[in-house]
Amino acid sequence: MPSAVERFLPLPHTELHVLLALCSQEMHGYAIMQRVRHGTSDQVRLGPGTLYGVIKRLLATGLIVEGKRRAAAAGDERRRYYRLTPLGRRVITAELERLTNILRAGVAAGAIPANRLIVEGLQ
Amino acid sequence: MKSRRPAVWWMLASYRASLHLLPKEFRREFGDEMTLVFCDLIEAAQKKGRWTAARVALAALGDVLATAIQERRCSKALKTADLPRSMRRSSVSVRIATKTLIFLTAVSACGVGAKLIARTWAAGPMERPMKTTYRVEEVSIPLKEEALAGRLLQPESPGPLPAVILIPGYVPGHRLRNEDGREGDEDAGTALARYLAGHGVAVLRVPFGGGTEQTKASLSVGEMATRTVACVEWLRGRDKVDRDRVGVIGQSVGGLIATLAASESDSIAFVVTLATPMESLDRNSLEVLDRALSSGGAPEADREAIKNMLQEVFSAAAKGASAQELRPAFEKFLRAEYPWLPTQYRQMAGKTADEFVARIVDEHVADAASPMFRSLLGYDALATLGKMRCPALLLFAERDFKVDANHNAGLARRALEAGGRKGKVQVISGVDHFFERASDQRSDAKVSPEDRFPAEFFDAITTWITTAGKEP
């Protein structure tokens, strides 16, 4: 019987990127899109429809919740902000551990040189 | 909405209409949010040109279609439990097919319209490389004395490509560290490197002045310029690189290295300097100090006395004093400076003068005794500018506290004219020394490079590189 966290694994990659974007702070939709795009060096670009499809599923499964609306002075008060729940944080941690193990297995099998692990910006 | 341009209005109207493809519940829940995000995307894309805005709009419309299919599939899966399967499937299929047909017709019409409008509005004949993906390659560049480890951002687009070496600002020993220890997603150099690589320019970043472990002493400006020329030659020998379009970009003091290299080599096709002081380090530092003391309310007599203390440190450093020998004079200067520092800076620097001195004196005296620092004392940047063998774009930042934009831009213009050199001097408004928008001009929620750095900054550099300084 999978645990409450394990039943979400493996996470689809769009869900993974959105959860990663929300790790540091709560954000509205556009900020999430930009964070994902920026964090993946432009490799992953979410459209508004894809993004809100993901947000809908993450809300339904309790991995994120809607935050408080901001005052007009803090931005556009019509925007909705989203943040990780404790369950969402546990799921993202478990998923990253899973991916790390895959990466280790890749290095051990010689599929990827160990020095490729030193990626840009992680020195 | 009334103030928006007609093309944008059409894009928005098409997008809102396309939302009707989505299931009703989904549209009610997220439709307004999606429209807001669409507006944000179009606004950001417009800064890059009308074509980009039109392309982004079409991509967003396609995204709605894909989401509609996905979401209807989900809602159908839920409903089949309660409703007759054949009836539900038929009904959903017919509705999707009908709406998709109408939608595709509308998209085609909008696409043609947007393209025509974009063509009409296209700003000037400026050619830009296509946006592309790139790969990061760790490279080794052989020099006479040692091999330099660098990082090459290589666009995937077909060559021959223009290429640049990116030299960061004054950080002795460790040339790839985030400038000024600032936090955030990335430093200005990294943001610029990624942007350029994404626009078809190969970018080489090399820690010239020692390894990343900070175990090696820094080099003088002249030695760094020699290494820059060697790296340019190495880049010119790369397969996909256009050997006649290799240039150097230098941030702050890095710009002095770039211009010196360009005055010594014919292999450099163009230079870009970013907030580079046009005076020697000592003179520029004294001016910065004077502004800081003035904003802290120091009377003129105190300002002069404190500046003289710093001048003494500079004089001793120029004569080759060691870090230990410089320490007493530097401590004296820091203690005198502390009470007049602007309150905000004092809060960061230390609660007392002792804390302030203890925190920074070691690093500063070691720096003041370094070859890099000494070579910048009395350095004649303007004379170097007049000897350059290629065109230069000199960008200054309007809200730069370290290098005053108007003063330095004026000096640069006069030096280019006097030397008969080809170049362009431009001041980017509303940005700091790192060309980031000043904190009062950006929202914390917006995190993309386009939000942090103005489009004018990226555009000026990419245009200069694309035309290799032949811009009219």
Side-chain angles (χ1 to χ4, degrees):
Chain A
M1 185 80 176
S3 71
V5 171
E6 283 169 349
R7 72 190 180 91
F8 290 102
L9 307 185
L11 277 175
H13 85 280
T14 44
E15 271 83 343
L16 170 63
H17 286 301
V18 171
L19 289 177
L20 274 177
L22 291 171
C23 268
S24 55
Q25 62 184 104
E26 67 175 44
M27 288 181 185
H28 56 66
Y30 182 68
I32 295 171
M33 285 171 70
Q34 296 305 304
R35 174 74 79 177
V36 170
R37 187 182 149 195
H38 187 42
T40 60
S41 300
D42 255 3
Q43 298 290 312
V44 177
R45 290 185 175 206
L46 301 176
T50 307
L51 173 71
Y52 283 99
V54 171
I55 285 177
K56 179 189 157 193
R57 289 193 287 280
L58 294 176
L59 285 170
T61 49
L63 299 186
I64 63 171
V65 288
E66 198 180 328
K68 287 180 182 171
R69 301 253 173 146
R70 306 291 172 89
D76 193 323
E77 73 276 23
R78 292 173 300 168
R79 291 186 194 280
R80 291 155 68 176
Y81 285 71
Y82 303 95
R83 62 181 159 81
L84 273 187
T85 60
L87 174 63
R89 198 166 287 280
R90 289 207 304 277
V91 168
I92 191 74
T93 305
E95 175 67 359
L96 292 175
E97 279 171 4
R98 192 185 69 82
L99 293 172
T100 306
N101 288 335
I102 292 173
L103 199 57
R104 282 204 192 101
V107 173
I112 179 172
N115 61 5
R116 284 290 300 276
L117 298 182
I118 304 168
V119 295
E120 189 191 4
L122 290 183
Q123 277 192 2
Chain B
M1 290 297 108
K2 280 178 185 173
S3 63
R4 288 180 186 276
R5 289 169 170 171
V8 177
W9 186 91
W10 276 109
M11 288 178 198
L12 188 55
S14 306
Y15 190 76
R16 291 185 75 95
S18 76
L19 294 181
H20 286 273
L21 289 168
L22 297 165
K24 199 180 287 178
E25 305 79 41
F26 189 93
R27 190 171 68 244
R28 281 184 184 156
E29 181 72 18
F30 298 112
D32 288 345
E33 276 281 288
M34 287 173 67
T35 307
L36 276 176
V37 171
F38 178 78
C39 290
D40 285 337
L41 284 172
I42 294 299
E43 275 182 24
Q46 276 186 307
K47 291 174 190 167
K48 295 180 182 175
R50 276 79 179 185
W51 276 107
T52 307
R55 192 169 48 77
V56 168
L58 285 175
L61 290 168
D63 175 66
V64 172
L65 177 60
T67 307
I69 293 168
Q70 165 77 16
E71 291 302 321
R72 285 190 184 276
R73 224 183 255 161
C74 291
S75 60
K76 185 176 77 176
L78 290 174
K79 285 169 184 169
T80 44
D82 307 320
L83 295 173
R85 184 175 296 228
S86 57
M87 200 172 88
R88 175 55 55 190
R89 188 177 291 166
S90 160
S91 167
V92 170
S93 302
V94 169
R95 272 192 297 162
I96 287 186
T98 310
K99 287 193 173 185
T100 303
L101 194 63
I102 296 168
F103 168 75
L104 287 176
T105 310
V107 166
S108 304
C110 288
V112 172
K115 217 165 182 176
L116 284 172
I117 291 165
R119 186 175 293 170
T120 311
W121 285 356
M126 187 174 75
E127 288 179 25
R128 295 182 199 211
M130 293 294 286
K131 189 143 186 163
T132 177
T133 55
Y134 60 89
R135 60 191 164 80
V136 180
E137 194 180 330
E138 302 298 330
V139 296
S140 177
I141 301 157
L143 301 180
K144 282 178 191 167
E145 59 274 33
E146 62 177 310
L148 286 181
R151 187 178 299 151
L152 181 66
L153 275 59
Q154 180 82 54
E156 302 281 7
S157 50
L161 301 168
V164 295
I165 294 173
L166 205 54
I167 308 175
Y170 186 71
V171 187
H174 185 184
R175 311 297 299 175
L176 278 182
R177 193 172 68 181
N178 281 2
E179 287 107 332
D180 219 16
R182 35 180 55 210
E183 295 176 354
D185 294 309
E186 60 194 16
D187 60 284
T190 302
L192 181 59
R194 288 177 176 166
Y195 183 88
L196 292 176
H199 285 74
V201 180
V203 181
L204 177 64
R205 305 180 77 193
V206 189
F208 290 123
T212 51
E213 302 303 312
Q214 297 195 49
T215 52
K216 296 177 184 174
S218 72
L219 304 170
S220 68
V221 176
E223 289 167 324
M224 288 200 183
T226 303
R227 290 190 167 197
T228 302
V229 173
C231 290
V232 166
E233 296 299 349
W234 180 86
L235 256 182
R236 295 179 84 211
R238 298 280 299 187
D239 275 351
K240 275 173 67 179
V241 169
D242 182 344
R243 58 183 288 108
D244 294 325
R245 285 197 296 164
V246 177
V248 185
I249 300 178
Q251 156 75 28
S252 193
V253 166
L256 299 178
I257 300 165
T259 51
L260 184 56
S263 73
E264 294 174 351
S265 169
D266 290 317
S267 299
I268 299 172
F270 58 87
V271 159
V272 180
T273 68
L274 308 173
T276 296
M278 292 291 122
E279 293 178 316
S280 62
L281 179 70
D282 42 334
R283 190 156 177 182
N284 189 68
S285 298
L286 289 169
E287 283 168 5
V288 171
L289 175 63
D290 192 61
R291 283 199 294 277
L293 295 174
S294 294
S295 65
E300 190 175 350
D302 288 292
R303 294 208 308 267
E304 288 306 315
I306 296 167
K307 284 196 292 185
N308 284 338
M309 290 178 200
L310 183 58
Q311 183 59 59
E312 280 176 28
V313 175
F314 288 146
S315 302
K319 289 174 188 162
S322 68
Q324 207 53 38
E325 289 165 338
L326 290 171
R327 192 183 184 94
F330 203 81
E331 275 195 23
K332 184 182 165 194
F333 156 69
L334 290 175
R335 286 182 197 285
E337 173 197 38
Y338 180 78
W340 302 111
L341 290 175
T343 312
Q344 193 183 357
Y345 182 72
R346 214 165 52 225
Q347 283 168 351
M348 290 190 295
K351 289 176 186 165
T352 63
D354 285 343
E355 193 181 325
F356 172 57
V357 171
R359 188 174 285 178
I360 68 169
V361 71
D362 285 336
E363 189 183 342
H364 278 66
V365 291
D367 179 24
S370 70
M372 174 72 169
F373 191 91
R374 281 189 198 133
S375 65
L376 290 168
L377 296 172
Y379 182 81
D380 194 345
L382 296 175
T384 307
L385 212 57
K387 292 178 194 163
M388 278 194 314
R389 304 181 194 180
C390 65
L393 170 66
L394 298 103
L395 295 182
F396 295 95
E398 186 212 11
R399 297 200 186 183
D400 191 340
F401 191 75
K402 296 180 179 178
V403 178
D404 184 77
N406 289 331
H407 176 61
N408 284 278
L411 291 175
R413 282 193 191 98
R414 285 195 289 279
L416 287 174
E417 282 169 15
R421 299 292 151 190
K422 191 173 178 188
K424 181 178 174 183
V425 179
Q426 188 175 340
V427 177
I428 308 283
S429 58
V431 291
D432 64 14
H433 187 62
F434 299 92
F435 291 87
E436 283 195 50
R437 284 196 172 96
S439 55
D440 62 340
Q441 298 210 350
R442 57 192 161 104
S443 154
D444 288 339
K446 294 189 171 182
V447 293
S448 73
E450 288 87 347
D451 292 320
R452 288 172 57 210
F453 306 97
E456 189 186 0
F457 170 63
F458 290 132
D459 282 349
I461 297 171
T462 44
T463 305
W464 193 257
I465 293 172
T466 308
T467 59
K470 295 187 182 76
E471 193 194 12

